[in-house]
Amino acid sequence: MHGGRANTAERSARRGRVIAVHASVVDVSFDSDPPPVYTVLQAGLDGGIVIEVLAQLDEQIVRGIALTPTQGLARGAPVVDSGRPLQVPVGEAVLSRMLDVFGHAIDDGPALQNVAWHSLHRSPPRLAERVSQAEVFATGIKAIDVLAPLERGGKAGLFGGAGVGKTVLLTEIIHNMLGRDRGVSLFCGIGERCREGEELYRAMQAAGVLADMVMIFGQMNEPPGSRFRVGHAALSIAEYFRDTGKRDVLLLIDNIFRFIQAGMEVSGLLGQMPSRLGYQPTLGTELAALEERIANTQRGAITSIQAVYVPADDLTDPAVVHVFSHLSASIVLSRRRASEGLYPAIDLLQSSSSLAMPGIVGRRHYAIAREVRRVLAQYEELKDVIAMLGVEQLSIEDRRRVGRARRLERFLTQPFSTTEAFSGLAGRQVILADALAGCERILRDEFADIPEQALYMIGAIDEAGRSQPAAVEAAHAS
């Protein structure tokens, strides 16, 4: 033990010198015993330029990627070996704080105190430590829990463009989880715009969910090395709360494609031969090293929801294909549904989950979800006929199908707690049993005689029953 600490201290005092600088790539020469891969080197005034060793070129020269801008760095500049890998602060003190990849607070708050520091580079849990039983992660959001249930300790992809309610949906899931489980939420912004990070921080603060949340950002203007490592930093914090705090963690990543993109930039800077479509040859390995740390163990679980950008809407893009292989659920947001005011704007037919099987969610849940999808699919097929000829030209049975589908669409809308100030509607959390009961009763045509609007923006189906007289009266008046 003492000898190991002495060796580290001796190595940390070791100095080298810069022999080449190519953008973010820095070559450093040491007289002997060059530092191992992933060691942090410091250069510039007060060690402000941080370099992570990624390759050893020979017995004296190492090549690293700078995690900070390299302006002012010149050949011959002294470099100090820190003797350690990149680390991030962990502990209760990081809750409600906004950090960068180095663990520095960027929210204008006081400096972090009483924190431990953990390495960014950690191995995934061993197979013996993992819990293999599939377990549903309830969100309190009807459309997700019924049609695309999330997996506790699993990964879900959130597909959606700007303005369709992606951030609102993420905020509501955080709000529901913290109110129910007292878990920890962690938002990781990879390649985020500065404006987006600031707006999200204010939104979380206004929603009252910041006290049990950590936010960590690698902003869009930062070097690729910083953006490439911020995901690992977020996971190290999440692992602390799972393994030491024994708490469930909800990890939100926006955007996982930018992690791959940063790795592609780093690979190109290091001179590696590109693979298909210019991606790095180590794409699969790098993504798996990050994704496999998101796991359900006997101590707790890290459940991840990841925003996924699809380049040119091409689902065969190598980055998208590799991400898909790690996901257990896909939630697709629809701009058309958002324009119709059907919030959350989840595409009920495109969204799916590998947990939607009788052996996992149960036979009743599976049967109801399957029938809901069938009715909605029939409605989609009839929409062209309705647009050309009108609903009056449909058969009686088709009109009933259309009525069921439209009532299901409206029942699967839901007011959110995080939007109360804007909508004036009190937020609702709906347990799975109530959501399934509502869908089942609509499928049995129990609500065929009341207006569709009576099912819009409610919680459990009983709320439509209570508002039924007023809704029918309004319909008659119109």
Side-chain angles (χ1 to χ4, degrees), residues 1-11:
M1 292 289 292
H2 296 287
R5 284 198 294 267
N7 290 339
T8 300
E10 182 183 345
R11 236 182 14 87

Side-chain angles (χ1 to χ4, degrees), residues 164-175:
V164 295
K166 180 174 59 180
T167 301
V168 172
L169 183 59
L170 294 180
T171 309
E172 185 69 9
I173 292 174
I174 294 172
H175 178 275

Side-chain angles (χ1 to χ4, degrees), residues 25 54 65 224 228 260-275 278-283 286:
V25 176
L54 292 183
I65 192 81
F228 187 55
I260 295 173
Q261 200 172 39
M264 182 167 57
E265 292 181 48
V266 170
S267 175
L269 288 168
L270 293 176
Q272 295 177 348
M273 182 70 70
S275 183
Y279 287 105
Q280 61 270 39
T282 53
L283 167 60
E286 291 170 356

Side-chain angles (χ1 to χ4, degrees), residues 136-150 169-181 250 305 331 343-344 346 365 411-418 426-436 458-460 463:
V136 173
F137 176 84
T139 64
I141 299 172
K142 292 179 285 188
I144 294 177
D145 291 345
V146 172
L147 296 175
L150 306 187
L169 183 59
L170 294 180
T171 309
E172 185 69 9
I173 292 174
I174 294 172
H175 178 275
N176 292 354
M177 178 196 175
L178 295 181
R180 183 183 67 244
D181 299 331
L250 178 62
I305 301 177
I331 302 169
Y343 290 104
I346 297 172
H365 183 168
F411 175 64
L412 292 174
T413 62
Q414 189 170 338
F416 283 173
S417 300
T418 51
R428 301 284 195 278
Q429 288 189 50
V430 183
I431 63 174
L432 178 59
D434 289 344
L436 291 175
I458 63 172
E463 295 183 29

Side-chain angles (χ1 to χ4, degrees), residues 297-367:
T297 71
Q298 298 170 354
R299 293 180 294 272
I302 300 175
T303 303
S304 176
I305 301 177
Q306 308 171 9
V308 183
Y309 168 69
V310 182
D313 294 330
D314 180 14
L315 293 176
T316 64
D317 185 272
V320 179
V321 170
H322 281 284
V323 172
F324 263 121
S325 66
H326 292 279
L327 300 179
S328 57
S330 300
I331 302 169
V332 181
L333 297 181
S334 164
R335 193 171 301 280
R336 177 180 60 81
R337 285 180 61 84
S339 67
E340 295 173 359
L342 300 175
Y343 290 104
I346 297 172
D347 191 314
L348 303 175
L349 290 176
Q350 294 294 323
S351 301
S352 63
S353 170
S354 62
L355 268 66
M357 301 171 61
I360 299 176
V361 299
R363 293 187 179 277
R364 177 170 174 264
H365 183 168
Y366 175 75

Side-chain angles (χ1 to χ4, degrees), residues 56-385:
Q56 294 189 343
L57 302 185
D58 58 28
E59 294 180 353
Q60 293 181 313
I61 300 175
V62 297
R63 174 165 291 173
I65 192 81
L67 307 182
T68 54
T70 55
Q71 285 90 338
L73 191 62
R75 293 175 62 184
V79 176
V80 177
D81 175 8
S82 69
R84 57 171 176 78
L86 196 61
Q87 295 180 325
V88 69
V90 297
E92 297 294 322
V94 302
L95 292 173
S96 79
R97 304 304 302 271
M98 183 188 293
L99 312 173
D100 62 12
V101 70
F102 306 108
H104 302 147
I106 54 175
D107 54 8
D108 290 332
L112 293 173
Q113 295 180 346
N114 301 321
V115 295
W117 292 81
H118 283 190
S119 169
L120 266 64
H121 304 283
R122 301 169 68 88
S123 300
R126 294 182 294 110
L127 290 178
E129 298 175 349
R130 295 174 182 253
V131 177
S132 59
Q133 182 179 1
E135 185 178 344
V136 173
F137 176 84
T139 64
I141 299 172
K142 292 179 285 188
I144 294 177
D145 291 345
V146 172
L147 296 175
L150 306 187
E151 180 183 6
R152 181 175 178 267
K155 278 110 24 191
L158 180 60
F159 302 82
V164 295
K166 180 174 59 180
T167 301
V168 172
L169 183 59
L170 294 180
T171 309
E172 185 69 9
I173 292 174
I174 294 172
H175 178 275
N176 292 354
M177 178 196 175
L178 295 181
R180 183 183 67 244
D181 299 331
R182 301 307 298 172
V184 174
S185 292
L186 205 152
F187 186 92
C188 175
I190 305 177
E192 283 285 290
R193 301 174 184 88
C194 299
R195 171 185 58 80
E196 291 175 339
E198 194 274 340
E199 287 178 353
L200 187 63
Y201 181 81
R202 302 299 174 198
M204 299 297 179
Q205 195 173 42
V209 299
L210 204 57
D212 289 294
M213 187 173 182
V214 185
M215 304 179 75
I216 184 165
F217 287 94
Q219 296 175 0
M220 186 175 284
N221 62 310
E222 295 182 13
S226 175
R227 288 180 274 122
F228 187 55
R229 289 301 180 210
V230 70
H232 298 279
L235 268 168
S236 292
I237 298 174
E239 287 167 339
Y240 168 82
F241 285 109
R242 180 194 65 190
D243 299 336
T244 304
K246 294 181 172 56
R247 299 168 71 176
D248 282 355
V249 181
L250 178 62
L251 173 62
L252 309 173
I253 301 177
D254 188 9
N255 186 300
I256 196 65
F257 176 79
R258 296 194 191 114
F259 165 77
I260 295 173
Q261 200 172 39
M264 182 167 57
E265 292 181 48
V266 170
S267 175
L269 288 168
L270 293 176
Q272 295 177 348
M273 182 70 70
S275 183
R276 183 174 168 231
L277 298 184
Y279 287 105
Q280 61 270 39
T282 53
L283 167 60
T285 302
E286 291 170 356
L287 185 62
L290 184 78
E291 297 281 8
E292 285 302 299
R293 292 171 64 181
I294 303 170
N296 186 2
T297 71
Q298 298 170 354
R299 293 180 294 272
I302 300 175
T303 303
S304 176
I305 301 177
Q306 308 171 9
V308 183
Y309 168 69
V310 182
D313 294 330
D314 180 14
L315 293 176
T316 64
D317 185 272
V320 179
V321 170
H322 281 284
V323 172
F324 263 121
S325 66
H326 292 279
L327 300 179
S328 57
S330 300
I331 302 169
V332 181
L333 297 181
S334 164
R335 193 171 301 280
R336 177 180 60 81
R337 285 180 61 84
S339 67
E340 295 173 359
L342 300 175
Y343 290 104
I346 297 172
D347 191 314
L348 303 175
L349 290 176
Q350 294 294 323
S351 301
S352 63
S353 170
S354 62
L355 268 66
M357 301 171 61
I360 299 176
V361 299
R363 293 187 179 277
R364 177 170 174 264
H365 183 168
Y366 175 75
I368 292 173
R370 186 175 180 181
E371 183 63 16
V372 168
R373 289 184 183 277
R374 189 180 69 85
V375 170
L376 293 173
Q378 290 174 340
Y379 178 42
E380 284 295 320
E381 294 174 358
L382 292 170
K383 279 185 176 179
D384 289 340
V385 177

